[in-house]
Amino acid sequence: MKQILLERQGYSERIERMFGKGMVVALTGQRRVGKSCIMRCIYEKYAKDSHNNVIYIDMEKTTFADILNYKDLEQYIVARLDTSKDNYLFIDEVQEIQDFEKAILSLQSYESCQIMVTGSNAKMLSSELSTRLRGRYIGYHIHGLDYEEFIEFHNLHDSDETLNQFLQYGGLPQLRQLGLENTDLVNDYLENVVNTIVLRDIIERENIRNVPLLRTLIRFIGNNIGKQFSARSIVGVLKSQNTEASTNMVLNYLEYLCNAYIINRVNRYNIHGKKIFEMGDSFYFEDLGLRNHIVGGNRNFDIEKVMENVVYQHLLRLGYTVYIGMLYKAEIDFVAEKQGSTIYIQVCYMLASEDTIEREFGNLRMIKDSHPKYVVSMDRMYGDTNIDGIKHLHLRDFLKKQEL
């Protein structure tokens, strides 16, 4: 059965604006978030124009198994270029080709075609490409579906029930083909994605020998979303659970998980001193469905962690750089910066008591600048209340905002 491609227009429009400007376009992100579908939609659009010569390479298909290294890649492409037309090159999962960046650099130097690639490893696609192409490369981090895309893809209505499904199953686009009501199929798919990312992108690529430690570490991060850690403190916790690990090993494994886009590292930011702390990072998952599957159990027992994670994800999708704020002895859940603007956000499940209200609004009240401040929760009793310039938003309303 042919897969139906649903265009994620917000990404497509931004990406296509860079075509014809001498830039290699790279789509990065966790496996199965939809990079290939976004590229495929763009490819099909350009392939329809008879003035274009379009070359498409999918490294997950055996058809291209003979392309092993940059020499194979360049030979394959050069043989298919057409100088009488506009040439477009699309390569899916380019990191599977050894030293791929050498071929791309060679093709780019002659400006023989517009190049677009996807990849699922941060280290390979950001550091190597950007270094070698010296400013002639632009990357777009592709995330899973946001809340409104989730509604569209699954043909749902905006409701508390739909929000709960989003928090439970996350934003992997392929879930549309399975149907959220088929929980066994959904769980099987999530298990497969976890194994693919862990086994293929981390264990094999990084030649990891202590696989049980890696799996334990992923579960540990999933159970402690947003908490402050150092590698040394993680080693101490793991040791108490009879899991031996060194500080360097934990640091390396955390880096591998970040490079595979399973988790994101978030620094802590001193609001008063306007500086980033070098110690004590926190971690959030790229996809809540994968996080919930890895952790197992009843999601409702850690709803605030899940809410924090989804707020963090939405801020990233809106283009913010996100930190956890520290102000004297108080913690601000998120400090988000974009193009010179700053916003502050507190997240809580319910504003169920005066103490809770005072804590959430009070922490933000201590920040004396004029930047926007928000409290995001799951109750509606306060509506869009504005208290001392601090705005309350229901989580559903927050996730539908494209500007803050």
Side-chain angles (χ1 to χ4, degrees), residues 29-79:
Q30 179 186 281
R31 285 189 183 271
R32 305 296 177 254
V33 295
K35 302 184 302 296
S36 301
C37 288
I38 291 170
M39 186 164 77
R40 191 81 190 182
C41 283
I42 296 173
Y43 154 75
E44 290 188 353
K45 175 180 176 180
Y46 283 82
K48 291 177 182 177
D49 190 334
S50 61
H51 295 94
N52 298 332
N53 176 50
V54 181
I55 304 168
Y56 195 98
I57 299 172
D58 184 351
M59 290 307 300
E60 291 194 327
K61 289 188 165 53
T62 56
T63 307
F64 303 99
D66 291 337
I67 302 178
L68 302 176
N69 54 48
Y70 73 97
K71 292 182 180 179
D72 300 332
L73 176 61
E74 187 165 10
Q75 183 178 8
Y76 180 92
I77 294 165
V78 169

Side-chain angles (χ1 to χ4, degrees), residues 147-148 150-165 396 400:
Y147 178 57
E148 291 196 298
F150 180 85
I151 292 172
E152 177 189 358
F153 269 55
H154 294 283
N155 195 26
L156 299 170
H157 298 287
D158 179 24
S159 67
D160 288 343
E161 180 182 358
T162 297
L163 175 62
N164 286 332
Q165 288 180 299
R396 274 171 55 197
K400 289 185 289 184

Side-chain angles (χ1 to χ4, degrees), residues 75-261:
Q75 183 178 8
Y76 180 92
I77 294 165
V78 169
R80 288 161 176 79
L81 291 174
D82 185 343
T83 56
S84 67
K85 295 184 177 183
D86 293 328
N87 290 280
Y88 294 85
L89 169 64
F90 299 86
I91 310 176
D92 201 4
E93 298 298 349
V94 70
Q95 78 277 351
E96 302 299 331
I97 304 170
Q98 184 179 359
D99 295 328
F100 68 90
E101 68 279 359
K102 293 180 181 178
I104 290 177
L105 182 62
S106 176
L107 292 165
Q108 183 72 354
S109 65
Y110 291 105
E111 297 185 355
S112 54
C113 56
Q114 170 64 55
I115 302 171
M116 181 176 176
V117 302
T118 76
S120 304
N121 186 281
K123 182 174 69 174
M124 296 187 70
L125 273 172
S126 59
S127 60
E128 294 183 22
L129 259 188
S130 59
T131 299
R132 288 183 176 272
L133 290 175
R134 303 178 188 89
R136 300 174 69 185
Y137 147 87
I138 184 167
Y140 293 93
H141 188 129
I142 307 300
H143 300 279
L145 305 178
D146 65 22
Y147 178 57
E148 291 196 298
E149 288 176 324
F150 180 85
I151 292 172
E152 177 189 358
F153 269 55
H154 294 283
N155 195 26
L156 299 170
H157 298 287
D158 179 24
S159 67
D160 288 343
E161 180 182 358
T162 297
L163 175 62
N164 286 332
Q165 288 180 299
F166 181 59
L167 297 179
Q168 178 66 48
Y169 297 116
L172 297 185
Q174 185 66 31
L175 293 179
R176 178 183 183 273
Q177 304 294 114
L178 304 176
L180 298 180
E181 67 279 1
N182 297 315
T183 54
D184 289 342
L185 289 178
V186 169
N187 286 327
D188 288 346
Y189 175 72
L190 293 175
E191 178 69 18
N192 177 264
V193 174
V194 170
N195 288 334
T196 299
I197 295 173
V198 172
L199 292 174
R200 183 170 181 177
D201 288 349
I202 301 181
I203 295 173
E204 292 181 4
R205 188 176 302 282
E206 306 294 349
N207 195 26
I208 285 179
R209 297 180 181 179
N210 195 339
V211 176
L213 172 61
L214 180 65
R215 293 186 180 277
T216 299
L217 185 59
I218 297 172
R219 285 195 298 273
F220 175 81
I221 296 298
N223 279 311
N224 294 277
I225 288 173
K227 289 188 177 180
Q228 180 179 1
F229 295 115
S230 66
R232 183 176 297 177
S233 66
I234 293 175
V235 168
V237 173
L238 294 178
K239 187 174 182 180
S240 70
Q241 299 173 354
N242 298 317
T243 300
E244 292 296 326
S246 68
T247 301
N248 283 340
M249 188 178 292
V250 168
L251 285 171
N252 288 336
Y253 283 16
L254 287 173
E255 182 180 1
Y256 300 154
L257 289 167
C258 289
N259 284 340
Y261 301 105

Side-chain angles (χ1 to χ4, degrees), residues 5 48 135-136 152 159 180 264 321 326 330 349 369:
L5 295 179
K48 291 177 182 177
R136 300 174 69 185
E152 177 189 358
S159 67
L180 298 180
N264 295 303
T321 301
M326 305 300 297
Y349 178 41
D369 62 38

